[in-house]
Amino acid sequence: MKSSFRFFILILFCLTSRFGKAQQIDSMITAYAEGFPKEKIHIHFDRSRYNIGDTVWYKVYLLAVNELSPLSKNLYVEWYDSTGALIKQTVAPLFQSTAKGSFEIPSTYSGSFLHVKAFTRWMLNDEDAFIYQRNIPINRGIFMNKKNQDPTQLVLFPEGGKLVAGTVSRVAFKAINKSGLPVKIKGYLVDDKNTIIDSLKIVHDGMGMVVLKPMPGVQYQVNWTDEFGVKGTTPINGIEKVGAVLTVRTNNEKAFLMIERSKEVNESFKQMNLLVHMNQQILYKVSVKMAEKTFQRAEIPIDELPTGIVQFSLFTADWMPVAERIVFVNNHLHEFNAKLNPIYTSLDKRAKNSLEIVVADTAMTNMSVSITDAGIVSKDEHTILSDFLLSNELRGYIHNPAYYFTSDADSITSRLDLVMMTNGWRKFNWEKLRAGIGPQLKYMPEQGYLSLKGNVFGAKNAGDLQLNFILAAKDSSKNMVFASVNPDGSFEQPGLFFYDTVKVYYNFNSKSKLTSGAQVKVHNGLLRKEPSAKYNYPLLPSVWAGVDSLSIVKMNYFLSEQERLRKFIASATLSEVIVRAKTKSKTEILDETYASGLFSRGDGYSFDLTDGAVTAMDIFTYLQGRVAGLQINGMGASATLNWRGQAPDLYLNEMRSDVSMVSSLPINDIAYIKVFRPPFFGSGGGGAGGAIVIYTKKGGESNSKGNQNVKGMESTVLGGYSRFKEFYNPVYEKGSASYDLDSRTTLYWNPYILTNKKSPRYKIEFYNNDVSKKLQVVVEGINSEGKMIRMVKLLE
């Protein structure tokens, strides 16, 4: 990954810069940065908690370091129940480093939460601690909002990692229960004579700090009492007799460092090395002269650094790690500017509302929007900012990480520094780096999306082989693929793209006798999960702890309404049901006749040209002014197309085409046109500008549906990408009849809102339900530079 910033650091006092021959450890850090850039995930769910029977709508964002990831093409999401049993695995293609999906919660689900795990193939090279995992609360109408009295433990974290006798250190602490939730305590730090050294004071979420200068031969411990009245003792162990400590404090402009060593040390502590690094990039390396003094101070400017975690690593002269400290820098360089403006709003029953998103930046943006009943949501504990900048960078559970991005107040900044001191980080194994051991990669990035991959058995000594494949989808669309067979019997043809399943027919080119004699095993190149898989996911805190009881009451109301509707439908008799047959429109018949596969669905426009009454000069003249947002300048082969800042992809009979070819078609030879709004997922290039698909008249041809066997070819079934539900936005016209109570909890969900310099505005329209009097709008997204946005607005 390329570095997108430059640093100018002034080292004061007696630190001297070193720009000589690079040490091995420097080159190894560079090797990890270039050879193993870390991917990380955030998921925007339409809301934070759900009832049984609900649909979970979500959008996945993927970054590598702090940029859109160019590595992965596929996104895996696994859903587990509260016992760790796999419910479902889905796979979705990544578009501009994002993917969308949905999950239907069974109405019979008996667990109190669902566990979600999301990852790419590349991410499996990293530790499980850095794989995206989340518990989603599920309400079954029997919730009890009660805080569990689990055993309390007090964990101590000396700044820099270790305590050294005779040196002053700050010791952070965190009081938690067995699930990781914070617990309130009070207590004292005492020595072996029970002399009070310092008192414990909780600053935030079970965290605080004490100061200790351990003396040789003296034992220390913390005596504490938790909020339930339970007493405990935590000893302080592992005090080093000889060594050095590192203290770091920050303000908005600088980091203030102090390095202190014990008086009697060997020569390796008298000339030490300090590395300052971030995002797998070394910012600065300095030599610290400690021969004549036992402590040194330094100031490092941080006001031009990007937002994120900066690590200070202290080494001896022979590069043995001594101390490490991480700090969080927030210069707001991670955000892009946008506004959410109401056009007209109303909270009356089924009233129409309109909002507009306006993006000030010129870079292309990719956002998602959810609008929900504000009565059932609480403050989100996880946001796009907290996931990408904090949770994905640290080991262990962080309670309510979104809180640390709500304000720049000094109190929040100091509390965030406690998080830095009480959570593990250490993304480098210094012993491996010193030994010259680079990243061990088992899972390589995909070369394309899906692939036709497998092995041939029983065809030894058959010479050069080529397999011919026909992929037949459920709608009868067919695609031919050819793959050469390697000497070991393996073959692979990347670059396929399809949803659901296809039937794969195959034979050997020019060697038809092998077709029945040899065995061909085919798969799609994706990772596969056994349905019976159990997952021992890390123990995460109770997801219902501290939830507002009024929110539960509102959720139970929606749950009862949904249950009432289900019972009504189930008990309806035939005499109560009126069946109204709907006659297919001519456009629907044309779509069934001409469109197939990914082209048979989608959000867009359809045009029937079969009546022969079209008088336009060419296809582009015909489309001018008929598609909102589509700009067409010029005519014929010189025409230029633009839709929301991107050129739409052109297809002729579902084969990729171009302006010159399409413009030369006689308009009377065209039967049907489909225009897909961006993004169009059928395009191999991403479809950011949508797509225009032109179908020519077939004459007497018929397009019979249903898969038919292909003569002389063997067959098998191959799975593709998961199909997801499309969110339904009802349209209530003025004075429309109202038969059922509208109790939707999510009123609007759009996973793909795209803007750019030429089209910086996006209009949102939706209708209220019958019960909500306060709505919450949440917008999250990224732009092409990896910057983020999160906006929250209440409509009341």
Side-chain angles (χ1 to χ4, degrees):
M1 305 294 291
K2 67 180 185 296
S3 175
S4 59
F5 42 79
R6 298 182 63 188
F7 304 94
F8 299 93
I9 298 181
L10 176 63
I11 304 299
L12 305 180
F13 297 93
C14 60
L15 294 180
T16 59
S17 302
R18 297 177 64 182
F19 295 98
K21 184 179 179 180
Q23 299 287 332
Q24 181 179 14
I25 202 165
D26 302 0
S27 59
M28 290 305 300
I29 290 177
T30 302
Y32 272 82
E34 296 178 352
F36 190 22
K38 303 297 184 71
E39 288 186 328
K40 46 190 178 181
I41 281 174
H42 165 69
I43 300 183
H44 178 192
F45 296 99
D46 63 307
R47 58 185 194 267
S48 55
R49 47 187 58 90
Y50 299 84
N51 285 324
I52 53 174
D54 282 349
T55 298
V56 180
W57 306 97
Y58 63 88
K59 165 85 168 281
V60 181
Y61 294 89
L62 177 71
L63 295 181
V65 189
N66 288 323
E67 299 175 355
L68 303 188
S69 176
L71 299 170
S72 297
K73 297 292 190 295
N74 302 313
L75 190 284
Y76 300 83
V77 179
E78 295 174 355
W79 299 83
Y80 296 87
D81 66 16
S82 53
T83 70
L86 178 67
I87 301 175
K88 187 176 184 180
Q89 183 197 54
T90 63
V91 189
L94 285 160
F95 165 77
Q96 292 181 0
S97 229
T98 63
K100 66 174 182 176
S102 64
F103 177 79
E104 297 180 61
I105 305 170
S107 59
T108 57
Y109 184 69
S110 59
S112 61
F113 67 90
L114 288 166
H115 184 78
V116 182
K117 179 182 179 183
F119 56 92
T120 65
R121 181 193 296 265
W122 180 249
M123 290 175 68
L124 295 179
N125 292 305
D126 211 341
E127 303 174 42
D128 281 349
F130 300 108
I131 299 294
Y132 180 93
Q133 302 190 67
R134 189 70 27 91
N135 281 349
I136 298 180
I138 306 299
N139 177 45
R140 296 182 289 120
I142 56 173
F143 171 73
M144 296 278 297
N145 190 6
K146 180 180 178 181
K147 188 170 184 178
N148 294 327
Q149 187 175 333
D150 293 330
T152 299
Q153 59 175 321
L154 179 66
V155 189
L156 304 175
F157 302 88
E159 185 172 14
K162 294 180 180 179
L163 291 170
V164 177
T167 64
V168 178
S169 291
R170 296 186 299 172
V171 181
F173 63 83
K174 180 162 61 174
I176 54 176
N177 63 20
K178 68 177 184 180
S179 299
L181 283 174
V183 178
K184 295 177 181 178
I185 65 167
K186 57 183 179 180
Y188 299 95
L189 169 63
V190 299
D191 61 16
D192 48 15
K193 296 180 181 180
N194 209 30
T195 303
I196 296 177
I197 308 298
D198 203 349
S199 59
L200 272 67
K201 181 181 179 182
I202 296 293
V203 176
H204 180 69
D205 281 346
M207 298 180 294
M209 187 185 302
V210 295
V211 178
L212 174 63
K213 182 179 181 179
M215 303 307 295
V218 180
Q219 300 295 319
Y220 301 89
Q221 67 182 33
V222 177
N223 299 327
W224 51 267
T225 304
D226 68 15
E227 60 186 281
F228 306 106
V230 178
K231 298 181 181 297
T233 298
T234 303
I236 297 179
N237 300 317
I239 299 175
E240 300 282 338
K241 295 181 179 180
V242 175
V245 296
L246 173 65
T247 302
V248 182
R249 290 178 171 85
T250 63
N251 61 20
N252 292 333
E253 298 179 350
K254 296 179 180 179
F256 303 90
L257 283 68
M258 189 182 79
I259 301 168
E260 183 180 6
R261 65 167 175 83
S262 49
K263 293 181 179 179
E264 301 297 329
V265 294
N266 59 39
E267 292 299 317
S268 64
F269 282 89
K270 295 180 179 180
Q271 181 76 31
M272 306 185 75
N273 297 298
L274 179 70
L275 285 184
V276 184
H277 49 104
M278 184 182 195
N279 297 328
Q280 297 179 295
Q281 301 282 343
I282 296 178
L283 310 184
Y284 213 78
K285 183 178 80 171
V286 296
S287 177
V288 186
K289 294 182 178 180
M290 302 286 289
E292 298 179 357
K293 292 185 178 181
T294 59
F295 72 90
Q296 297 286 5
R297 300 179 185 272
E299 297 179 8
I300 298 179
I302 58 174
D303 55 336
E304 294 184 11
L305 301 187
T307 302
I309 293 176
V310 180
Q311 184 173 15
F312 299 84
S313 300
L314 183 65
F315 301 84
T316 59
D318 52 355
W319 290 95
M320 292 295 293
V322 174
E324 289 185 321
R325 174 76 154 92
I326 59 174
V327 300
F328 194 88
V329 174
N330 188 356
N331 293 319
H332 295 282
L333 299 178
H334 59 285
E335 300 169 315
F336 67 85
N337 297 317
K339 291 183 179 180
L340 181 61
N341 299 325
I343 299 176
Y344 50 85
T345 61
S346 173
L347 296 178
D348 294 340
K349 290 183 178 181
R350 307 194 180 189
K352 187 176 183 179
N353 293 264
S354 182
L355 311 172
E356 185 179 54
I357 298 175
V358 182
V359 180
D361 293 281
T362 58
M364 181 185 67
T365 69
N366 185 337
M367 297 174 288
S368 48
V369 177
S370 66
I371 303 176
T372 56
D373 186 300
I376 65 169
V377 298
S378 57
K379 291 183 179 180
D380 285 328
E381 295 186 356
H382 306 274
T383 68
I384 191 169
L385 305 178
S386 66
D387 274 347
F388 279 140
L389 299 174
L390 189 60
S391 300
N392 285 322
E393 300 292 331
L394 299 176
R395 285 186 176 88
Y397 171 74
I398 303 172
H399 187 66
N400 192 14
Y403 163 79
Y404 302 103
F405 297 90
T406 57
S407 169
D408 290 330
D410 291 342
S411 59
I412 294 181
T413 301
S414 63
R415 292 167 183 175
L416 178 55
D417 197 47
L418 284 174
V419 175
M420 297 293 102
M421 295 181 67
T422 57
N423 283 81
W425 191 79
R426 194 184 289 274
K427 287 198 173 179
F428 290 120
N429 184 319
W430 297 116
E431 294 301 323
K432 286 185 177 181
L433 265 64
R434 291 178 72 248
I437 301 175
Q440 306 298 302
L441 303 178
K442 180 180 178 181
Y443 301 92
M444 302 308 293
E446 299 100 342
Q447 297 301 310
Y449 287 94
L450 303 175
S451 63
L452 203 60
K453 186 177 181 180
N455 294 88
V456 176
F457 301 94
K460 291 183 178 180
N461 304 317
D464 294 336
L465 295 178
Q466 178 175 290
L467 278 164
N468 305 325
F469 293 96
I470 295 179
L471 278 61
K474 291 181 178 179
D475 59 6
S476 295
S477 61
K478 293 182 176 65
N479 184 26
M480 294 194 68
V481 179
F482 306 96
S484 298
V485 180
N486 299 317
D488 63 355
S490 64
F491 60 88
E492 181 174 7
Q493 183 60 45
L496 302 183
F497 195 104
F498 60 90
Y499 287 90
D500 209 346
T501 58
V502 295
K503 197 165 187 179
V504 180
Y505 299 90
Y506 61 88
N507 65 10
F508 290 91
N509 189 25
S510 303
K511 297 184 180 182
S512 57
K513 292 183 179 180
L514 277 176
T515 303
S516 58
Q519 182 182 10
V520 178
K521 288 190 174 182
V522 183
H523 62 89
N524 56 18
L526 298 174
L527 297 171
R528 288 176 288 184
K529 194 82 172 182
E530 294 299 327
S532 58
K534 292 277 287 186
Y535 180 48
N536 296 319
Y537 46 75
L539 184 64
L540 297 176
S542 170
V543 290
W544 287 103
V547 175
D548 181 12
S549 58
L550 291 178
S551 172
I552 299 302
V553 171
K554 191 70 175 284
M555 289 195 71
N556 285 338
Y557 168 77
F558 281 112
L559 181 62
S560 64
E561 285 300 322
Q562 292 162 2
E563 184 63 23
R564 182 191 63 80
L565 183 60
R566 278 194 292 267
K567 288 180 178 179
F568 173 78
I569 294 173
S571 62
T573 63
L574 287 176
S575 61
E576 295 172 322
V577 178
I578 301 174
V579 179
R580 294 182 175 87
K582 180 184 176 183
T583 304
K584 290 183 180 179
S585 67
K586 191 175 181 181
T587 340
E588 289 174 324
I589 296 173
L590 281 171
D591 201 72
E592 289 184 359
T593 303
Y594 288 92
S596 64
L598 294 171
F599 298 90
S600 63
R601 295 175 174 86
D603 181 22
Y605 303 81
S606 299
F607 301 98
D608 173 16
L609 281 72
T610 56
D611 58 7
V614 180
T615 58
M617 295 180 61
D618 58 33
I619 184 65
F620 300 123
T621 307
Y622 173 79
L623 287 175
Q624 281 181 341
R626 296 177 185 267
V627 178
L630 176 62
Q631 299 176 5
I632 302 176
N633 298 313
M635 62 173 60
S638 61
T640 59
L641 291 78
N642 185 290
W643 202 353
R644 303 196 67 82
Q646 302 284 335
D649 296 322
L650 297 176
Y651 290 86
L652 178 58
N653 295 325
E654 301 183 358
M655 300 295 291
R656 195 66 179 263
S657 187
D658 56 31
V659 170
S660 60
M661 181 180 294
V662 169
S663 64
S664 64
L665 284 173
I667 196 73
N668 291 328
D669 287 350
I670 298 173
Y672 184 45
I673 302 172
K674 294 192 73 174
V675 183
F676 292 91
R677 292 186 179 93
F680 175 58
F681 289 98
S683 293
I692 300 174
V693 189
I694 299 103
Y695 296 92
T696 55
K697 294 176 180 177
K698 292 186 176 183
E701 291 183 5
S702 64
N703 186 23
S704 60
K705 298 293 177 182
N707 287 329
Q708 298 179 357
N709 291 331
V710 179
K711 185 177 179 180
M713 300 184 78
E714 297 294 323
S715 67
T716 185
V717 175
L718 191 65
Y721 289 120
S722 307
R723 276 207 181 277
F724 300 108
K725 288 176 60 176
E726 293 293 330
F727 186 83
Y728 171 66
N729 281 312
V731 176
Y732 295 125
E733 298 298 338
K734 189 173 183 180
S736 61
S738 175
Y739 298 104
D740 297 312
L741 178 70
D742 183 345
S743 58
R744 291 171 295 135
T745 49
T746 297
L747 304 177
Y748 181 85
W749 168 252
N750 190 340
Y752 278 103
I753 290 182
L754 309 177
T755 69
N756 52 41
K757 182 179 180 179
K758 294 182 178 179
S759 302
R761 299 173 180 270
Y762 194 98
K763 188 176 181 180
I764 295 170
E765 291 184 343
F766 70 96
Y767 290 83
N768 192 19
N769 57 25
D770 290 336
V771 295
S772 296
K773 297 301 179 184
K774 185 178 181 180
L775 306 179
Q776 176 176 274
V777 184
V778 177
V779 180
E780 291 192 330
I782 56 178
N783 68 11
S784 56
E785 298 172 352
K787 293 185 177 182
M788 296 166 271
I789 189 71
R790 176 177 169 83
M791 297 185 291
V792 180
K793 190 176 187 66
L794 292 176
L795 305 179
E796 54 186 330

